[in-house]
Amino acid sequence: MAEPIIEAHHLTKIYNQGEVKVEALRDVSLQMWPGEFAVIVGPSGSGKSTLLNILGGMDVPTSGEVTYRGRSLQQMDEAQLTDYRRNEIGFVFQLYNLLSALTARENVELATELVAEPLGIGEVMDRVGLQQRMEHFPSQMSGGEQQRVAIARALAKNPGLLLCDEPTGALDYETGIKILGLLRELNRDYGTTVAIITHNLAVADMGDRVFRMRSGRITQVQENPEPVAAEEIVW
Amino acid sequence: MVMQTLNRRLLRTVRNSWLQFTALVVIIALGLLSLVLLTNVYQNMHVSKVEYYRQQSFAEVFASFTYQPSGYIDRLDNLPEIRRSEGRIVSDIRVDVGRDTHPTLRLVSISDENRLNRPLTQQGALPRGRSREVALLTRFAEANDIEVGDSVELIIRGEPFSVEVSALVDSPEFVYAIEDIKNPYPDDTNFGVAYMDLNLLQDLLGVPGQVNEATFLTAPGVSWDEARDAVQERMEGRGLRSVITRDDQLSHFMISIEMDFLQQFSFAIPLVFLAIAAAIIYMLISRLVKSDRVVIGVLKATGYDNRQVLMHYLKYALFLGFAGAALGMAAGHAFVGPTTELYMEFFELPLMQMRYDWTFIVVGVVLTLIFCGGTGVWAARDVLKISPADAMRPPAPPPGQRNLLEVSFPRLWERMSFSWKLVWRHLLRNKKRFALAVLGVAFTFTVVFFPFYALGVIDIMFIQQFEEFEVYDYAVSFEQPVGGEGISHVGELVQAELIEPFAEYPFNVSRGWREHNVVVRALSTDSTLQRFEDARGGIIEVPASGLLISQYLAEELGVGPGDRLTLSSHVTDGEEHTVEVQAVINQYLGSGIYMSRGQMNRLTGQHDHTGVLIQSNDDVKAALQNAANVASIYSTGDLIDVFDEFMGLVIVAYSTLILIGGVLGFAILFNTTSVSIEERAREFSSMRVLGYSQGEVYQALVRENILATAAGVILGIPLSRASVHLLVSMMQTEMFYLPPVINPGSYAIAGILVGIFTAVVMLAVRVRVHNLNLLEALSSRLT
Ligand SMILES: Nc1ncnc2c1ncn2[C@@H]1O[C@H](COP(=O)(O)OP(=O)(O)OP(=O)(O)O)[C@@H](O)[C@H]1O
Ligand SMILES: [Mg+2]
């Protein structure tokens, strides 16, 4: 197999809250391969979001190191980190975080403006099934539609790594499935590496690999030679 | 109990945005500081003035006339309108104080019988009997380094007469000591007052048993004007020159102008500050309520009622209001003493009381309650609309819509770069806030603009007045009118390039019920030393018949070209003449009426000259100081010098104004920008996560503020123009007429300063952008 796209080496993250120390991550190491679809599962508070944020250059570990295509994030200055987020990372939030003042198209433009070779807005919107709603504002769209705009926004930069923190957390079952299916499709068609956080163990079967977390550690890494399609998941 | 938790939340919010709140508190503090300071200073001055006038028995009516027997004057109290009448001599002479130029000294007689206008002794004792002693006005003595016991030489009719200074005194008549209305600023080195025994003075001047002025107290229930008219009627034909009430007495008139200003500003300024503070509070609280929607829902679900929740937000307003009020009133309290003293010193008004009026504390508290509390409740009224169920719903994104620009100018919108679209969308969605920012900038612009307007206009006034209108260097007035040989005599005494005689007499000028006492100057029609400009700015000659009137008097009397005025004078033996106004002229310093010598002859039958205008590089004051017939010498150079000294004070005042403008601008813009950042923290964080750099996020804010500043400056130009016109119309007086001419450069300078203030705000908010928490966008937590 090729070089890993991103690697974590012995990450720890300790939050100091006065007297209390919270160890959100304890010695976490992992590797992700180009084009793979990884799922991170675990109970609430187990450190999933913390891990993802550190991988995305949004947060820094207390110790340990993250290397992206061999470059250490810990060696980067603020400008280089911004470049990293700008050119390599796509992020999808649980609560969409669209800019309410901007139309769907403009929310995507917000991303395409930034990079040298973005995907076409029309194409991306077509992929998420929203070409008819391009000129709508977030307030005029349902939660699922907003999340699709958010995915389009992350994807349009044509990132190397798409990080999604509970992208279906605020959506109903049906819509959630559709969103997951969309992500899986995009992963196949564009070869984008995807990491998805979910609470839901059933979703795990969709991933090429599943990382199980508990109390700040990765307790198990499960390989799925034949991942299940989104539509087939029942939970 | 639970409210305590909410209070803690309040304090935490305040602490997190301390700079924002501090700026607001400073504005409120400035408002209450100016209230407490100005009202108390005014009160202290007012009470001191009234008390001083009462203690020294300041007269209510003043008459001046050619010498009359004092017995006749003393008997004027048999007029039913007059309670007390006292004759005295007032005569301007020159005094040798050991300098090259001899200052003008106004000799005022005193006697043991005098009860009115008693000088207040500061040092030494008043002259007794016929001893060769004088009491000098303190400020004149100090300016000339004269002490009690020193000798000075009076020059009376060309003869030196040595006297000893027995006392230093102040007088209610010379609280603001100026020689005449043509010299608007006290020039203590060159003008003073000396009190001398009546009999001695009568002997010196060769007028035994005679006086040339009378001062009166009115009978109970009689108005000053009635008393003045009665004296006028009685003395008609007895050499009466003028009768005035205290209202027109020079010193009193000048402090009244100043105190009226103080009184008007003591209410206007605090209200302006509080109104601005209210606008900011409104913005902060309504924004807080909006972002606290879920919190409010949770509170209500927990069992808080509307009143309790409303109270929570009202507390923010009251907390800030009273923090500012306490600070402002404490500082105001501390400054009352020094500021009162400064004023008192400027006016040489002995301090009769230094009181701190606590009722203004009550006024301040009430104003704070109204402005801050009232605004707080109004801004938090949306609390009532939020239901407990709101806590459970995820926040709906604020409605987006097509904006005006997009709908009206789709082409333009298409072509606009994306980052500019972002700016415009936000701006048009928060129109109220943007409007506040624009108004704030416009207001700051106006405040900052005024000093530059004023400095520019002072320049114009002086340059025009002394380079175009009053081209002469000196105006000499004679004791007694002279013929042609008298003028030649002056020509022999001074090295002059040009000498032009004039005739000047006091007139009562009226039109209908409006009247004014004016010294009318008659000049030859081809005068080159004094020239006139009409309202349109064209140079005009003195008309052979009719008169020219300065714009201030024209407005006072309500006349324009073609109207007729009624003139009467003691020189016409009270006979009235009507004369047509030929033109209204521009005159910035002083005011007056001018006519040709021929016109004056027709009114008075007088052909002699009462003075000369002189153009000369010679020190005319020194050359003429021993000349017997010289009554006074007005020097344009001295006036400019004295004025220059005052410029220091003016510049301090203006710098303060600019500073206050800056603080106001900062408080408004910093708060609008901060709210804008808070409101969009989540969006900005999302942008950062997408890969936007801090600089790029910051740039959006910078652009918004540049737009607000530009719009504010554009609005500020007409606003400051209008304010200048308003203020100027309030400030016109007999001494000054401010032309509302605005130097375009003033706009540029004010604009640059406002730009600098905006830049300071942008530097201050930079920190906030840096501190934006990236993870906030990712967190699912909402509150
Ligand atoms: N800013 C913070 N300060 C202090 N502790 C934090 C902070 N953020 C996270 N934690 C703690 O770190 C631990 C891991 O948090 P994290 O958000 O990574 O969990 P998670 O697995 O994403 O949980 P969930 O599924 O509920 O989102 C938790 O115990 C949490 O309380
Ligand atoms: Mg999480």
Side-chain angles (χ1 to χ4, degrees):
Chain A
M1 198 167 263
E3 290 289 291
I5 183 165
I6 192 162
E7 283 180 281
H9 307 281
H10 309 290
L11 293 180
T12 64
K13 176 75 183 179
I14 299 172
Y15 290 108
N16 273 313
Q17 285 190 312
E19 307 290 287
V20 200
K21 280 188 178 179
V22 180
E23 288 187 73
L25 294 178
R26 316 174 193 221
D27 194 22
V28 171
S29 297
L30 62 74
Q31 295 177 322
M32 285 185 62
W33 309 105
E36 87 169 317
F37 194 94
V39 175
I40 304 172
V41 293
S44 185
S46 56
K48 307 182 292 293
S49 297
T50 306
L51 174 61
L52 209 66
N53 293 344
I54 291 173
L55 294 181
M58 258 80 71
D59 200 357
V60 287
T62 307
S63 68
E65 192 179 37
V66 175
T67 52
Y68 182 85
R69 296 196 205 273
R71 287 174 61 213
S72 165
L73 300 195
Q74 277 60 57
Q75 307 294 320
M76 294 184 183
D77 60 18
E78 181 56 40
Q80 288 170 320
L81 267 180
T82 297
D83 274 346
Y84 169 67
R85 284 197 298 269
R86 177 179 296 199
N87 298 316
E88 309 297 345
I89 303 295
F91 213 102
V92 178
F93 313 91
Q94 179 176 0
L95 289 171
Y96 336 132
N97 284 325
L98 297 182
L99 273 63
S100 58
L102 303 184
T103 61
R105 174 211 288 278
E106 286 167 352
N107 265 288
V108 179
E109 261 179 346
L110 193 63
T112 54
E113 270 238 315
L114 282 174
V115 293
E117 290 174 12
L119 303 177
I121 294 179
E123 174 192 342
V124 181
M125 290 302 271
D126 195 33
R127 284 311 302 262
V128 299
L130 283 179
Q131 63 277 57
Q132 306 304 326
R133 313 294 303 269
M134 298 234 279
E135 305 308 329
H136 286 217
F137 286 94
S139 60
Q140 300 164 331
M141 285 185 276
S142 72
E145 284 163 347
Q146 288 182 52
Q147 190 59 298
R148 280 189 272 165
V149 176
I151 291 171
R153 184 173 68 178
L155 187 73
K157 291 200 295 186
N158 198 7
L161 183 58
L162 192 59
L163 304 173
C164 313
D165 192 348
E166 296 186 50
T168 62
L171 300 175
D172 63 75
Y173 173 77
E174 287 269 321
T175 318
I177 296 284
K178 280 190 191 142
I179 296 285
L180 289 173
L182 174 64
L183 286 170
R184 182 85 234 202
E185 240 179 74
L186 296 172
N187 158 259
R188 287 211 185 99
D189 299 354
Y190 292 101
T192 315
T193 312
V194 177
I196 284 191
I197 289 181
T198 179
H199 274 301
N200 202 305
L201 293 174
V203 176
D205 298 336
M206 269 177 64
D208 296 322
R209 276 198 302 163
V210 183
F211 296 90
R212 293 184 194 279
M213 291 190 72
R214 178 174 298 277
S215 308
R217 298 180 203 280
I218 295 177
T219 49
Q220 191 197 354
V221 184
Q222 170 196 335
E223 307 246 354
N224 284 344
E226 281 176 42
V228 180
E231 309 81 68
E232 292 165 27
I233 293 174
V234 181
W235 63 59
Chain B
M1 219 177 60
V2 202
M3 282 304 261
Q4 271 175 10
T5 322
L6 279 183
N7 290 345
R8 217 172 302 139
R9 177 171 189 264
L10 184 157
L11 286 177
R12 227 169 263 158
T13 316
V14 170
R15 200 175 54 208
N16 285 343
S17 319
W18 65 271
L19 188 54
Q20 232 177 306
F21 287 117
T22 305
L24 178 56
V25 164
V26 167
I27 301 287
I28 298 170
L30 281 175
L32 284 146
L33 177 127
S34 52
L35 175 79
V36 164
L37 181 64
L38 299 180
T39 46
N40 273 300
V41 168
Y42 174 79
Q43 287 255 312
N44 282 337
M45 272 184 76
H46 181 73
V47 173
S48 293
K49 186 187 78 178
V50 169
E51 181 60 17
Y52 185 38
Y53 284 0
R54 197 189 57 75
Q55 276 183 18
Q56 309 306 125
S57 302
F58 189 28
E60 292 163 342
V61 177
F62 301 78
S64 95
F65 33 78
T66 55
Y67 282 100
Q68 303 290 328
S70 55
Y72 167 75
I73 298 304
D74 290 343
R75 280 195 309 280
L76 285 175
D77 62 5
N78 61 21
L79 281 167
E81 290 86 353
I82 300 298
R83 177 149 58 102
R84 187 175 177 85
S85 168
E86 285 183 5
R88 64 177 186 180
I89 292 179
V90 175
S91 180
D92 285 3
I93 58 146
R94 238 146 286 278
V95 59
D96 188 343
V97 292
R99 279 193 286 125
D100 271 356
T101 28
H102 298 168
T104 300
L105 191 65
R106 181 157 299 166
L107 288 179
V108 180
S109 71
I110 45 170
S111 80
D112 291 343
E113 282 87 60
N114 277 157
R115 292 291 169 267
L116 304 186
N117 307 310
R118 282 209 313 273
L120 177 70
T121 310
Q122 298 290 8
Q123 246 186 71
L126 289 180
R128 299 214 143 259
R130 284 173 172 262
S131 56
R132 290 169 64 138
E133 290 175 336
V134 292
L136 275 187
L137 203 62
T138 314
R139 53 195 303 168
F140 173 75
E142 279 170 359
N144 284 290
D145 287 325
I146 302 171
E147 286 165 15
V148 172
D150 289 355
S151 283
V152 293
E153 287 211 332
L154 310 182
I155 297 155
I156 299 176
R157 295 198 288 179
E159 297 296 321
F161 182 79
S162 176
V163 290
E164 190 180 310
V165 176
S166 73
L168 299 187
V169 298
D170 291 332
S171 160
E173 268 186 283
F174 299 101
V175 167
Y176 193 85
I178 53 176
E179 185 173 352
D180 54 34
I181 204 146
K182 285 183 206 143
N183 297 276
Y185 292 107
D187 183 358
D188 294 328
T189 24
N190 292 314
F191 174 73
V193 179
Y195 293 88
M196 190 179 213
D197 179 69
L198 174 65
N199 292 324
L200 181 61
L201 191 52
Q202 284 172 334
D203 286 354
L204 278 176
L205 296 174
V207 285
Q210 306 206 58
V211 292
N212 66 352
E213 273 207 6
T215 60
F216 308 95
L217 285 185
T218 56
V222 175
S223 78
W224 294 351
D225 285 352
E226 285 165 346
R228 178 197 59 196
D229 294 345
V231 171
Q232 170 130 31
E233 200 169 305
R234 170 68 67 88
M235 289 197 71
E236 206 78 77
R238 300 243 4 189
L240 186 64
R241 287 182 202 272
S242 73
V243 202
I244 54 168
T245 66
R246 194 194 279 172
D247 288 336
D248 290 322
Q249 199 271 339
L250 213 46
S251 160
H252 176 80
F253 176 72
M254 297 296 289
I255 21 178
S256 299
I257 290 178
E258 190 70 24
M259 288 181 60
D260 285 351
F261 260 125
L262 194 58
Q263 196 179 22
Q264 284 166 0
F265 282 133
S266 65
F267 286 99
I269 294 177
L271 289 185
V272 167
F273 278 108
L274 285 176
I276 291 172
I280 299 176
I281 288 180
Y282 182 86
M283 176 184 72
L284 291 180
I285 304 258
S286 56
R287 143 86 199 138
L288 201 57
V289 169
K290 213 184 275 170
S291 65
D292 274 358
R293 201 182 55 101
V294 174
V295 176
I296 293 168
V298 169
L299 285 176
K300 287 189 171 182
T302 318
Y304 284 87
D305 62 19
N306 274 330
R307 200 187 51 80
Q308 284 170 313
V309 180
L310 207 60
M311 194 60 208
H312 176 59
Y313 294 96
L314 177 58
K315 274 186 194 162
Y316 280 96
L318 292 180
F319 177 78
L320 295 169
F322 284 108
L327 197 71
M329 294 197 281
H333 189 124
F335 286 138
V336 166
T339 312
T340 305
E341 271 161 23
L342 207 75
Y343 260 93
M344 297 278 175
E345 202 180 291
F346 184 66
F347 285 111
E348 206 69 31
L349 191 61
L351 182 65
M352 295 297 170
Q353 84 145 23
M354 177 71 81
R355 220 158 52 93
Y356 189 79
D357 193 338
W358 296 98
T359 53
F360 291 116
I361 296 282
V362 178
V363 174
V365 167
V366 170
L367 282 179
T368 308
L369 267 178
I370 294 174
F371 276 89
C372 301
T375 313
V377 172
W378 181 244
R381 68 191 186 283
D382 277 353
V383 160
L384 307 177
K385 289 193 211 144
I386 297 171
S387 78
D390 280 309
M392 313 308 159
R393 288 185 208 122
Q401 25 174 270
R402 262 145 239 290
N403 61 51
L404 210 68
L405 213 60
E406 191 173 3
V407 173
S408 318
F409 307 99
R411 284 274 180 81
L412 186 73
W413 185 256
E414 293 267 300
R415 248 181 264 156
M416 198 182 290
S417 85
F418 178 74
S419 43
W420 272 109
K421 275 187 199 166
L422 201 64
V423 168
W424 278 106
R425 275 223 191 280
H426 273 284
L427 208 143
L428 292 167
R429 257 159 61 99
N430 297 293
K431 292 194 198 74
K432 266 200 236 164
R433 185 161 66 227
F434 185 67
L436 178 61
V438 170
L439 280 178
V441 172
F443 189 75
T444 304
F445 182 88
T446 305
V447 172
V448 168
F449 169 80
F450 186 76
F452 293 103
Y453 153 74
L455 291 177
V457 111
I458 287 169
D459 242 27
I460 295 175
M461 278 166 70
F462 272 75
I463 290 173
Q464 289 235 335
Q465 186 83 15
F466 294 119
E467 288 182 4
E468 288 173 34
F469 305 157
E470 292 181 23
V471 189
Y472 58 85
D473 300 305
Y474 298 92
V476 178
S477 296
F478 301 134
E479 228 35 280
Q480 298 297 325
V482 300
E485 74 288 352
I487 304 299
S488 323
H489 184 58
V490 173
E492 286 159 18
L493 290 175
V494 298
Q495 299 280 341
E497 284 153 40
L498 205 53
I499 296 187
E500 280 182 13
F502 64 83
E504 206 170 55
Y505 296 101
F507 279 85
N508 178 277
V509 182
S510 66
R511 177 158 198 262
W513 52 270
R514 306 186 208 216
E515 60 170 343
H516 223 280
N517 288 319
V518 186
V519 175
V520 178
R521 180 176 285 184
L523 296 154
S524 69
T525 50
D526 56 357
S527 168
T528 53
L529 291 186
Q530 182 152 20
R531 290 185 304 206
F532 302 96
E533 183 188 274
D534 64 12
R536 265 176 275 111
I539 293 288
I540 49 175
E541 284 198 343
V542 181
S545 74
L547 56 79
L548 303 176
I549 184 168
S550 67
Q551 68 279 68
Y552 174 79
L553 285 174
E555 280 165 26
E556 284 287 288
L557 292 164
V559 291
D563 292 337
R564 302 186 75 83
L565 284 171
T566 306
L567 280 75
S568 67
S569 164
H570 73 275
V571 215
T572 67
D573 288 324
E575 203 181 308
E576 296 188 341
H577 297 269
T578 67
V579 183
E580 187 180 327
V581 174
Q582 294 294 339
V584 175
I585 54 164
N586 288 334
Q587 182 171 352
Y588 304 127
L589 295 174
S591 51
I593 289 181
Y594 304 88
M595 57 177 58
S596 69
R597 296 300 297 268
Q599 177 69 57
M600 184 62 93
N601 293 344
R602 287 195 289 283
L603 296 182
T604 61
Q606 305 281 339
H607 291 273
D608 282 345
H609 315 295
T610 66
V612 284
L613 304 178
I614 299 175
Q615 188 172 42
S616 165
N617 293 325
D618 199 7
D619 185 349
V620 168
K621 277 196 162 179
L624 290 182
Q625 61 200 4
N626 294 330
N629 196 27
V630 171
S632 71
I633 303 173
Y634 163 85
S635 153
T636 57
D638 281 0
L639 184 66
I640 294 173
D641 288 346
V642 174
F643 186 79
D644 281 346
E645 279 175 36
F646 274 82
M647 279 310 280
L649 218 62
V650 170
I651 286 177
V652 170
Y654 287 168
S655 312
T656 315
L657 203 57
I658 292 174
L659 194 71
I660 289 176
V663 170
L664 280 176
F666 180 85
I668 297 172
L669 214 51
F670 183 67
N671 270 296
T672 53
T673 312
S674 298
V675 164
S676 187
I677 294 174
E678 275 163 33
E679 197 169 275
R680 284 144 68 188
R682 215 181 164 80
E683 296 187 351
F684 285 151
S685 309
S686 308
M687 284 172 69
R688 296 273 287 116
V689 170
L690 275 176
Y692 280 85
S693 66
Q694 283 174 348
E696 282 160 329
V697 169
Y698 182 62
Q699 180 188 292
L701 286 168
V702 171
R703 284 181 176 175
E704 278 175 38
N705 272 343
I706 286 176
L707 286 177
T709 305
V713 168
I714 290 169
L715 184 67
I717 289 173
L719 186 69
S720 51
R721 250 180 87 91
S723 312
V724 158
H725 280 267
L726 180 76
L727 217 63
V728 159
S729 72
M730 276 170 62
M731 281 170 47
Q732 306 301 23
T733 63
E734 219 169 321
M735 283 83 56
F736 291 111
Y737 192 94
L738 301 180
V741 185
I742 293 170
N743 179 357
S746 315
Y747 289 125
I749 297 175
I752 290 170
L753 274 176
V754 168
I756 292 173
F757 295 155
T758 308
V760 172
V761 169
M762 290 321 297
L763 282 180
V765 297
R766 228 204 128 94
V767 184
R768 309 207 101 191
V769 175
H770 273 274
N771 291 347
L772 273 180
N773 185 354
L774 270 191
L775 296 179
E776 192 180 334
L778 315 174
S779 139
S780 55
R781 257 167 282 153
L782 284 170
T783 47

